[in-house]
Amino acid sequence: MRIVFRQTVCAVRCFARRLYSEGRPPAPLGARILTNPDDIFQHNMWDHVQWTEDERERAQQKAEENSKYKIPVEEQTKYNRDANKYWDRFYEMHHSKFFRNRSWLFTEFPELLPPDACSPEKEQGSLGHVCLESKDKEKHQQCYSCPETSDSFPGQHAAFRILEVGCGAGNSVYPIINTIRGSKAFLYCCDFSSRAIELVQKHPDYEPAVCHAFVRDICDTTSPFPFPPGSLDIILVVFVLSAIHPERAQSVVNNLAGYLKQGGIMLFRDYGRYDLSQLRFKKGQCLSDNFYTRQDGTCVYFFTKAEVHNLFTNAGLEELQNLEDRRLQVNRGKKVVMHRVWMQSKYRKPYLLSTSV
């Protein structure tokens, strides 16, 4: 057992050194590394946990068992047809209390920070602020120029535009609004649950001067957004694509990519293959391979690193980051450990090469 653990620790350290040599932070996605198995119950979460072959095989077997029986195709149509109804009921029941505000956003996705804004960051238990260096501001301003258009639209005069798709009750919206307020940035947020958008608009932190919330089914690739193509600097896609049938995900990403400026970035975070939540599904909840429906009718898909890469590169974007976030979640009261797996990625719309001589 300890031999396997030492091998795991070595793998994690090599992984961290490799990331550092590539110019990235030495420990992205958190820096709490479990180096002594006796310390496992000292914290609620450990970062960069490497699975043993036995753990991977058990997870694969569990997923195969709970997906042997697929829900009949004729019964599956309701999950696509009535998806907005299921999510409306979800927000009617839970309001904004089910998910916590995503305080980690600017740590993992500093690209969200406009050139003229400061990002709140906790340091040693106090609230500090980190602003972009002047060189970084110049780089942002060069990358994120405003599109020329004669049509008026919300946020038209903003120098930096962010879209969050599938915003839910606003757990990313409020941290972003509170950070960009007073800057030249503007936030768009949409969800196909009208109840979710209603919750966002009624929140005391919602401010139409810096945010435009609207109802939108991103699977409907024919309806226009309230801004022109090529006008966005950042698109935030957090735990959204997993709720869509995997056969529709590529057309969604293709459509969203068309709204990015050259140099604009799509930020992605979602469920990874063999996450604890996938292994907990019971037989009879599987729609197709690695795609399930929950008891409330909402759906979830579990991605691999290769699938994420193909989704975004097939949409014409270039990879900046594509990581598996593997963590060990600990219930210290019950002395239970659980493997969590999330995907985190960043893809950029490339610049067009000039053909002028």
Side-chain angles (χ1 to χ4, degrees):
M1 174 66 183
R2 287 187 175 271
I3 293 176
V4 172
F5 182 83
R6 284 196 293 271
Q7 291 173 340
T8 299
V9 170
C10 289
V12 170
R13 287 172 175 167
C14 291
F15 173 72
R17 285 197 298 272
R18 178 175 59 81
L19 288 173
Y20 185 77
S21 67
E22 293 175 354
R24 298 174 181 166
L29 309 171
R32 181 174 288 161
I33 309 298
L34 179 63
T35 57
N36 184 345
D38 296 332
D39 296 336
I40 193 167
F41 294 109
Q42 289 190 7
H43 297 286
N44 295 327
M45 190 82 76
W46 298 95
D47 306 315
H48 304 290
V49 175
Q50 302 297 306
W51 288 23
T52 66
E53 285 300 317
D54 287 343
E55 288 171 333
R56 185 179 295 275
E57 287 179 8
R58 286 197 300 269
Q60 184 175 355
Q61 290 173 0
K62 183 66 176 176
E64 289 175 354
E65 289 175 5
N66 68 25
S67 61
K68 281 182 179 179
Y69 172 76
K70 305 287 195 305
I71 296 174
V73 176
E74 57 272 17
E75 294 182 20
Q76 293 190 22
T77 55
K78 66 179 181 181
Y79 296 107
N80 276 328
R81 183 186 66 240
D82 301 331
N84 62 321
K85 296 179 182 178
Y86 292 126
W87 283 105
D88 278 343
R89 282 205 296 264
F90 175 90
Y91 290 112
E92 285 286 351
M93 179 180 298
H94 299 290
H95 297 275
S96 58
K97 299 176 182 178
F98 191 83
F99 302 108
R100 296 179 180 177
N101 281 355
R102 291 164 178 154
S103 57
W104 49 266
L105 270 179
F106 291 95
T107 301
E108 301 298 345
F109 295 142
E111 295 83 359
L112 285 165
L113 183 63
D116 58 340
C118 292
S119 173
E121 184 174 277
K122 291 182 179 179
E123 294 182 352
Q124 298 178 354
S126 62
L127 186 64
H129 286 84
V130 178
C131 296
L132 291 180
E133 299 281 345
S134 57
K135 291 182 179 179
D136 292 327
K137 288 185 179 181
E138 292 174 4
K139 183 177 179 181
H140 271 259
Q141 290 165 349
Q142 291 171 0
C143 293
Y144 305 128
S145 58
C146 297
E148 295 182 2
T149 178
S150 58
D151 299 326
S152 62
F153 59 93
Q156 178 181 12
H157 300 293
F160 188 86
R161 301 186 188 90
I162 304 167
L163 166 66
E164 185 193 5
V165 295
C167 64
N171 301 96
S172 296
V173 171
Y174 312 133
I176 295 175
I177 286 178
N178 290 329
T179 299
I180 68 174
R181 187 180 283 113
S183 73
K184 296 179 181 179
F186 193 87
L187 171 66
Y188 306 93
C189 59
C190 65
D191 200 284
F192 72 164
S193 167
S194 57
R195 179 56 179 151
I197 295 301
E198 182 182 347
L199 290 170
V200 170
Q201 294 174 334
K202 288 184 176 180
H203 194 278
D205 285 345
Y206 182 73
E207 187 175 336
V210 295
C211 182
H212 177 63
F214 57 99
V215 178
R216 181 63 153 77
D217 179 2
I218 59 172
C219 290
D220 178 5
T221 56
T222 60
S223 299
F225 281 93
F227 41 78
S231 61
L232 300 177
D233 300 291
I234 300 291
I235 299 179
L236 185 63
V237 189
V238 177
F239 296 102
V240 176
L241 293 184
S242 56
I244 297 171
H245 194 289
E247 292 181 358
R248 308 178 75 181
Q250 187 65 67
S251 63
V252 169
V253 175
N254 292 349
N255 187 49
L256 290 174
Y259 288 91
L260 282 173
K261 298 176 182 177
Q262 294 179 37
I265 298 175
M266 201 173 298
L267 305 174
F268 172 83
R269 186 170 175 84
D270 221 315
Y271 293 103
R273 188 68 49 84
Y274 306 141
D275 176 61
L276 170 69
S277 57
Q278 178 179 12
L279 306 186
R280 281 182 168 175
F281 276 104
K282 306 297 182 183
K283 293 180 181 179
Q285 293 181 263
C286 186
L287 296 164
S288 60
D289 290 346
N290 306 298
F291 187 49
Y292 303 81
T293 179
R294 303 182 181 95
Q295 294 294 334
D296 60 8
T298 61
C299 299
V300 59
Y301 183 78
F302 298 87
F303 292 93
T304 65
K305 189 174 179 179
E307 287 173 341
V308 173
H309 175 81
N310 290 336
L311 266 179
F312 292 101
T313 56
N314 287 344
L317 305 180
E318 57 186 13
E319 181 181 307
L320 300 178
Q321 181 191 80
N322 190 22
L323 302 176
E324 275 186 322
D325 185 1
R326 296 184 175 273
R327 304 195 187 194
L328 198 64
Q329 189 173 339
V330 177
N331 185 321
R332 290 187 282 178
K334 296 181 179 179
K335 303 298 182 183
V336 175
V337 297
M338 300 158 283
H339 284 280
R340 303 309 309 265
V341 185
W342 297 289
M343 302 304 306
Q344 182 162 302
S345 310
K346 304 175 184 181
Y347 285 82
R348 178 173 56 197
K349 189 170 186 176
Y351 296 95
L352 294 178
L353 297 177
S354 175
T355 57
S356 61
V357 179

